[in-house]
Amino acid sequence: RVVAMEVFNEAWEDTKGQRVPHIAKPWAAICLLLNIFLPGVGSAVSGIMEKKWSTLLIGVLQLATSWLIVGWIWSIYWGYLIAYYSTG
């Protein structure tokens, strides 16, 4: 239970600070495309790649709220940030 709260708090801080995983450019482009066409999936994939569970949670929240359009917009923006801060 304590671990879950830590992940939620980290996800909240990551969202406020717009902290995204730094992954290789080819993967970042794939994650951006995934976030555009399958909201939250690219965020979840990048979180799994970097073992950053808060980003995985953010991807799940983006997917869960995508039907409200807010999650879809959030997902596209997050995909853009992943691509912008990609390495290599």
Side-chain angles (χ1 to χ4, degrees):
R1 185 174 179 174
V2 173
V3 173
M5 284 306 297
E6 288 177 15
V7 171
F8 276 106
N9 286 336
E10 186 178 344
W12 176 249
E13 293 302 319
D14 285 353
T15 301
K16 287 191 324 186
Q18 298 180 354
R19 293 189 299 255
V20 297
H22 300 276
I23 58 177
K25 281 198 183 295
W27 283 107
I30 291 169
C31 288
L32 172 59
L33 290 173
L34 283 172
N35 272 357
I36 292 170
F37 297 107
L38 297 168
V41 174
S43 298
V45 167
S46 69
I48 292 168
M49 289 176 64
E50 289 289 305
K51 294 183 177 71
K52 193 161 172 50
W53 307 121
S54 59
T55 305
L56 173 64
L57 175 62
I58 288 169
V60 170
L61 292 173
Q62 289 169 346
L63 181 62
T65 58
S66 64
W67 65 277
L68 295 171
I69 306 299
V70 172
W72 185 54
I73 293 169
W74 180 20
S75 178
I76 292 170
Y77 180 65
W78 212 253
Y80 162 76
L81 289 176
I82 292 169
Y84 184 79
Y85 290 112
S86 62
T87 59

